[in-house]
């Protein structure tokens, strides 16, 4: 099998606050293969954004990556100096963010911001970089690309800005693109366009994409494989098909159930009771146990590891220790 | 932009009109009679009466005011009661002296203040940050007259490095052309005199620049801290931009508007409020000119001096407002 482009293992990112050390990302393992789209799903506070910023090493104080390995093409990014990381950011690994409204610098022209990254990494002259930037603005489907180069972000709509962000992240042809909630702040119709665009870029350039989102619709649309995160830990991992057809963790089941379905009009929309616990607040047992309808004594006493839930699917749930208990999950689904 | 500038200039008229009115009445509310001050304690009633008549001060206030305003419209600032010469003819050397000192003070204040603020924000909570902010606090709290006296004591009296008073070496006087001595000496190629002028500028320049420097440093720091948490700063870093450029290009331009406001206000204050510094350092500036005029109840000089300072103040504010639009493309004056 081909070696994954990016392999994260045992990643630990902790925040050192006045309330003590908070494990925002707690021994997270996953990998991304060449040309693959991996979805990282979770509610806010589950640690998915911190995971992506850890890969880029853009975690700022009081946060710190305290353990694990992030291996990109066989090299551990955590051992790289700031200078070496700068050569990777934007060049090998590109990133787009949730808020296209605030992610572009309001006081510089689009062209200036696009060309900046190209000039840093490709070391081209101004003219070539400018032409390259225009090429990418066209690639992401922006009309009047030449004129846009001389406009400021506030003159563009949200969807256009997100396209600019994508062009910026793709301009140096990275091998991995990390998209942190790229469509959350956009209108539904624009969302679909942006997803379509990312899918096309994935097909055309064979760039691997890590899609971070809380939106299962986006995941179903885009991803080959899914990692579900809850309270800093991965709770389930599998292919998109497997996870949507037979989720193996009660949390994933809850997530899927809470997606509104137009065809079956339920009285009330399902929601998982309770809130995501503050990372670090649950010391023993499964972090999801207090909200889980399947929870039994062991769940509150011992923290489960990721275990095989059949067909290569992994779930962090004690139910899978025992075939009979695991069968409970099947019942709920049907 | 041009229309806005013209509108702002037209708005100046009522502002300045109101100001002349206030100054006109306030100085007449100060106890003391110009004729009495000029003639001295022993003057006879007759002499005072005839001088009052000669100065036109026996006229009712509204006639005096109308005469004054009429004069202003024809560019006549009036005649000094003390020197009997035209104010418009004698005010420039004083104004030039103040301009030169304020500009030097402000250049020092901006250069050191802005950089100290930036570095403090960049390395927040470092020893540099703590030291700079403690010094800034000392700076804003320090009375100018005390700082000036301490400078004179240390650098003139004890060390003998720099002259304590005046603008030039009186034994080697500068031949005035523009009355801005730095320029005059350069035009004439008199490097010896240029060095002397610089030496005379250092101590009052530091005394005058300390408070603005401290205020600018604090404002820059807080503004930068806020901007450096922005999404677009993260975007810039994700592109692989060096931290130096993230700070000095992406962040500074966004953080500069409040700093510019402070710079404008401080510049205005320096031009009008340098009386203490000018007195301590024997600097023949506009502050001293007005201050002396108050002692002599030289009404026309007080009126015109304050008017000119006010006009400069308003113009600086206009320039600052126009610069906002140059820095931030979202600001439009239409």
């Amino acid at each position: 099998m081909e070696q994954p482009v990016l392999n994260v293992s045992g990643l630990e990112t902790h925040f050192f606050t006045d309330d003590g050390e908070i494990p925002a990302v707690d021994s997270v393992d996953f990998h991304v293969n060449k040309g693959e789209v991996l979805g990282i799903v979770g509610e806010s506070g589950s640690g998915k954004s911190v995971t992506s910023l850890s890969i880029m090493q853009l975690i700022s104080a009081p946060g710190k990556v305290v353990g694990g390995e992030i291996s990109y093409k066989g090299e551990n990014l955590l051992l790289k100096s700031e200078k070496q990381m700068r050569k990777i950011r934007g060049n090998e690994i590109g990133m787009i963010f949730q808020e296209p409204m605030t992610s572009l610098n309001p006081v510089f022209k689009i062209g200036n911001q696009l060309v900046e990254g190209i000039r840093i990494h490709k070391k081209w002259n101004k003219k070539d970089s400018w032409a390259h930037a225009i090429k990418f603005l066209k690639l992401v489907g922006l009309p009047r690309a030449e004129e846009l180069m001389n406009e400021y972000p506030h003159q563009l709509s949200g969807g256009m800005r997100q396209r600019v962000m994508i062009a910026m992240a793709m301009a140096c042809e990275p091998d991995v693109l990390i998209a942190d909630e790229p469509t959350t702040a956009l209108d539904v119709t624009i969302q679909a366009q942006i997803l379509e665009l990312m899918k096309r870029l994935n097909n055309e350039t064979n760039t691997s994409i890590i899609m971070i989102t809380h939106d299962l619709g986006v995941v179903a649309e885009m991803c080959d494989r899914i990692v579900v995160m809850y309270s800093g830990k991965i709770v389930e991992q599998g292919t998109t098909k497997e996870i949507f057809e037979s989720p193996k963790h009660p949390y994933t089941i809850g997530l899927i159930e809470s997606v509104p379905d137009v065809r079956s009009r339920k009285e009330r929309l399902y929601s998982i009771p309770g809130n995501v616990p503050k990372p670090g607040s649950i010391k023993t047992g499964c972090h999801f146990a207090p909200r889980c309808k399947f929870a039994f004594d062991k769940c509150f006493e011992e923290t489960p590891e990721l275990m095989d839930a059949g067909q290569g699917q992994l779930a962090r749930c004690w139910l899978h220790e025992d075939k009979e208990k695991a069968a409970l999950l099947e019942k709920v689904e049907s | 932009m041009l229309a806005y500038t013209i509108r702002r200039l037209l708005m100046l008229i009522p502002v300045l009109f109101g100001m002349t009115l206030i100054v006109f009445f306030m100085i007449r509310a100060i106890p003391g009679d110009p004729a009495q001050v000029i003639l001295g304690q022993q003057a006879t009633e007759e002499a005072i009466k005839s001088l009052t008549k000669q100065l036109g001060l026996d006229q009712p206030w509204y006639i005096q005011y109308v005469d004054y305003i009429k004069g202003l419209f024809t560019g006549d600032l009036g005649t000094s009661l003390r020197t009997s010469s035209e104010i418009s003819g004698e005010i420039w050397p004083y104004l030039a002296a103040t301009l030169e000192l304020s500009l030097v003070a402000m250049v020092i204040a901006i250069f050191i203040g802005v950089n100290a603020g930036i570095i403090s924000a960049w390395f927040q909570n470092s020893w540099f940050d703590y030291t700079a902010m403690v010094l800034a606090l000392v700076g804003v709290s320090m009375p100018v007259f005390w700082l000036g006296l301490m400078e004179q004591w240390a650098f003139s009296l004890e060390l003998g490095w720099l002259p304590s008073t005046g603008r030039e070496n009186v034994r080697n006087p500068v031949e005035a052309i523009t009355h801005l001595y730095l320029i005059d000496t350069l035009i004439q190629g008199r490097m010896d005199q240029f060095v002397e002028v610089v030496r005379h500028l250092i101590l009052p320049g530091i005394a005058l620049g300390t408070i603005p420097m401290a205020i600018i440093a604090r404002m820059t720091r807080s503004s930068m801290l806020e901007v450096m948490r922005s999404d677009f700063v993260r975007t810039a870093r994700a592109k692989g931009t060096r931290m130096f450029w993230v700070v000095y290009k992406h962040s500074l331009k966004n953080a500069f508007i409040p700093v510019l406001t402070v710079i404008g206000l401080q510049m205005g204050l320096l031009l009008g409020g340098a009386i203490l510094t000018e007195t301590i350092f024997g600097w023949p500036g506009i502050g001293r000119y007005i201050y002396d005029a108050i002692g002599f109840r030289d009404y026309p000089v007080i009126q015109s001096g304050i008017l000119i300072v006010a006009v400069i103040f308003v113009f600086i504010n206009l320039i600052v407002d126009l610069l906002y639009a140059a820095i931030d493309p979202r600001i439009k004056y239409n």
Side-chain angles (χ1 to χ4, degrees):
Chain A
M1 205 180 100
E2 204 188 346
Q3 210 194 355
V5 193
L6 188 75
N7 190 30
V8 174
S9 59
L11 180 69
E12 298 267 350
T13 304
H14 293 188
F15 281 76
F16 297 85
T17 66
D18 294 339
D19 302 333
E21 193 174 332
I22 293 169
V25 173
D26 193 359
S27 64
V28 161
D29 308 86
F30 64 86
H31 66 273
V32 193
N33 295 318
K34 181 80 196 146
E36 185 183 39
V37 182
L38 175 76
I40 300 183
V41 188
E43 290 169 272
S44 7
S46 60
K48 52 197 197 306
S49 288
V50 177
T51 304
S52 64
L53 289 172
S54 300
I55 296 170
M56 293 295 265
Q57 297 214 36
L58 289 176
I59 293 285
S60 46
K64 198 169 185 278
V65 179
V66 292
E69 195 183 309
I70 297 169
S71 159
Y72 172 76
K73 290 184 175 170
E75 286 179 67
N76 188 356
L77 295 186
L78 295 179
L79 299 177
K80 296 215 176 266
S81 67
E82 169 64 19
K83 198 176 164 192
Q84 289 168 319
M85 268 318 289
R86 277 208 309 268
K87 292 207 174 104
I88 288 171
R89 289 184 202 129
N91 190 26
E92 310 260 352
I93 307 177
M95 189 157 181
I96 53 182
F97 299 98
Q98 178 172 357
E99 284 289 337
M101 296 303 188
T102 53
S103 291
L104 288 166
N105 195 327
V107 301
F108 290 101
K109 288 177 179 162
I110 301 293
N112 184 316
Q113 299 188 53
L114 266 167
V115 164
E116 188 180 21
I118 301 167
R119 296 201 65 182
I120 291 170
H121 298 298
K122 304 252 179 199
K123 314 249 182 267
W124 288 347
N125 65 31
K126 222 171 175 171
K127 209 177 136 225
D128 292 345
S129 308
W130 195 264
H132 187 74
I134 291 175
K135 193 179 103 189
F136 270 83
L137 284 182
K138 287 180 178 159
L139 187 72
V140 298
L142 282 166
R144 5 172 246 109
E146 284 86 356
E147 291 155 55
L148 276 184
M149 293 289 279
N150 285 313
E151 285 177 14
Y152 288 97
H154 71 274
Q155 294 168 286
L156 276 62
S157 69
M160 285 168 89
R161 286 187 220 184
Q162 197 60 300
R163 281 173 197 266
V164 170
M165 282 297 292
I166 295 172
M168 201 186 277
M170 294 295 292
C172 292
E173 288 131 355
D175 287 319
V176 179
L177 178 69
I178 302 176
D180 187 355
E181 305 259 10
T183 57
T184 307
L186 301 174
D187 293 344
V188 191
T189 46
I190 310 292
Q191 270 187 26
Q193 291 173 15
I194 296 288
L195 292 178
E196 191 56 42
L197 165 68
M198 292 184 67
K199 222 170 175 175
R200 203 186 83 214
L201 291 174
N202 171 248
N203 286 335
E204 284 172 10
T205 61
N206 208 24
T207 302
S208 311
I209 297 179
I210 300 178
M211 192 75 160
I212 292 164
T213 182
H214 65 271
D215 186 339
L216 286 173
V218 171
V219 173
E221 180 93 2
M222 292 282 297
C223 303
D224 302 315
R225 267 185 323 114
I226 300 176
V227 163
V228 182
M229 283 187 76
Y230 184 81
S231 181
K233 285 177 186 293
I234 292 179
V235 292
E236 184 165 0
Q237 198 170 324
T239 64
T240 307
K241 192 165 177 284
E242 283 166 358
I243 286 193
F244 275 91
E245 281 179 3
S246 70
K248 297 295 187 206
H249 192 284
Y251 176 64
T252 319
I253 295 173
L255 273 185
I256 294 172
E257 271 181 43
S258 56
V259 175
D261 187 348
V262 232
R263 281 160 301 190
S264 66
R265 280 206 193 170
K266 288 180 197 160
E267 288 291 302
R268 272 190 65 173
L269 209 52
Y270 177 77
S271 69
I272 305 172
N275 289 310
V276 183
K278 244 172 77 186
S281 62
I282 296 176
K283 297 276 186 271
T284 53
C286 170
H287 290 192
F288 188 61
R291 301 173 72 186
C292 180
K293 55 185 171 189
F294 300 102
F296 52 100
D297 292 348
K298 193 174 186 183
C299 301
F300 293 96
E301 285 151 14
E302 283 177 64
T303 312
E305 293 301 312
L306 272 177
M307 39 192 126
D308 186 9
Q311 300 116 42
Q313 216 169 328
L314 296 173
R316 190 184 293 278
C317 179
W318 286 124
L319 291 174
H320 296 288
E321 228 186 7
D322 179 339
K323 284 241 160 58
E324 266 173 55
K325 280 183 178 148
L328 288 173
L329 291 171
E330 310 285 337
K331 264 188 213 156
V332 175
E333 281 164 53
S334 50
Chain B
M1 191 79 126
L2 185 68
Y4 173 78
T5 311
I6 292 168
R7 208 166 60 232
R8 280 286 298 266
L9 290 176
L10 288 176
M11 269 158 59
L12 259 183
I13 296 170
V15 170
L16 293 177
F17 187 75
M19 218 210 52
T20 55
L21 209 61
I22 293 169
V23 173
F24 184 86
F25 283 108
M26 270 176 70
I27 52 176
R28 280 164 179 75
I30 309 171
D33 173 10
Q36 176 88 60
V37 176
I38 292 168
L39 293 171
Q41 289 292 320
Q42 264 72 45
T44 61
E45 197 95 350
E46 311 295 274
I48 290 174
K49 243 190 184 149
S50 83
L51 185 61
T52 304
K53 198 174 166 116
Q54 201 187 319
L55 296 173
L57 296 173
D58 59 335
Q59 302 278 358
W61 65 267
Y62 51 86
I63 305 259
Q64 289 185 42
Y65 183 70
V66 169
D67 281 348
Y68 168 53
I69 295 295
K70 265 191 202 157
L72 286 184
F73 274 105
T74 58
D76 177 13
L77 294 175
T79 309
S80 166
L81 300 184
R82 184 161 53 119
T83 63
S84 309
S85 48
E86 288 277 315
I87 295 168
S88 49
E90 67 173 22
I91 202 166
W92 172 247
Y94 297 103
L95 197 56
T98 295
L99 273 178
E100 190 165 72
L101 178 58
S102 314
L103 284 174
V104 165
M106 216 51 204
V107 167
I108 300 174
I110 292 171
F111 182 77
I112 300 179
V114 168
N115 279 295
I118 291 172
I119 298 170
S120 294
W122 183 354
F123 302 105
Q124 195 193 357
N125 300 332
S126 65
W127 66 267
F128 182 94
D129 182 21
Y130 291 133
T131 316
M133 286 308 115
V134 167
L135 285 179
L137 193 63
V138 172
V140 279
S141 325
M142 181 125 54
V144 173
F145 60 87
W146 189 79
L147 178 64
L149 290 173
M150 286 301 114
E151 280 181 3
Q152 286 176 328
W153 171 74
F155 297 102
S156 301
L157 239 63
E158 291 295 321
L159 297 167
W161 291 350
L162 294 164
S164 61
T165 53
R167 279 185 86 183
E168 58 186 330
N169 186 345
V170 282
R171 270 160 294 179
N172 184 8
V174 175
E175 197 186 314
I177 302 170
T178 63
H179 288 278
L180 296 164
Y181 285 179
L182 287 175
I183 295 175
D184 289 347
T185 51
L186 282 179
I187 295 173
Q188 295 165 28
R190 294 290 301 270
M191 281 320 288
D192 57 327
Q193 289 186 337
F194 180 78
V195 171
E196 276 299 317
V197 172
V198 169
R199 277 164 48 83
H200 279 84
L201 273 166
I202 293 174
L203 292 186
I206 291 173
L208 199 59
T210 299
I211 290 179
M213 186 194 299
I215 294 175
I216 290 169
R218 286 156 62 98
M219 181 52 97
T220 308
R221 178 179 181 270
S222 69
S223 184
M224 284 293 283
L225 278 179
E226 202 181 310
V227 168
M228 284 174 72
R229 277 194 287 266
S230 309
D231 290 345
F232 59 79
V233 167
R234 193 180 52 188
T235 307
R237 294 200 63 202
K239 252 190 282 187
T241 310
R242 299 175 76 96
M243 202 53 200
F244 179 84
W245 291 116
V246 172
V247 171
Y248 273 83
K249 181 188 161 187
H250 288 273
S251 307
L252 183 58
K253 200 173 173 195
N254 277 281
F256 208 66
I257 293 234
V259 179
L260 188 65
T261 311
V262 167
I263 290 175
L265 282 175
Q266 291 297 320
M267 187 74 205
L269 287 178
L270 288 199
L271 284 168
I275 295 175
L276 279 175
T277 314
E278 289 180 356
T279 307
I280 293 165
F281 288 96
W283 197 266
I286 189 94
R288 279 286 300 283
Y289 183 59
I290 297 171
Y291 175 76
D292 290 346
I294 293 171
F296 272 93
R297 303 293 184 274
D298 194 342
Y299 295 161
V301 170
I302 305 172
Q303 283 164 189
S304 300
I306 294 179
L307 182 68
I308 283 176
V309 170
V311 169
I312 293 174
F313 194 91
V314 174
F315 264 93
I316 289 173
N317 275 308
L318 176 61
I319 292 169
V320 165
D321 283 349
L322 294 178
L323 282 176
Y324 287 161
I327 291 176
D328 193 331
R330 288 168 298 182
I331 298 174
K332 286 264 175 345
Y333 296 120
N334 283 318

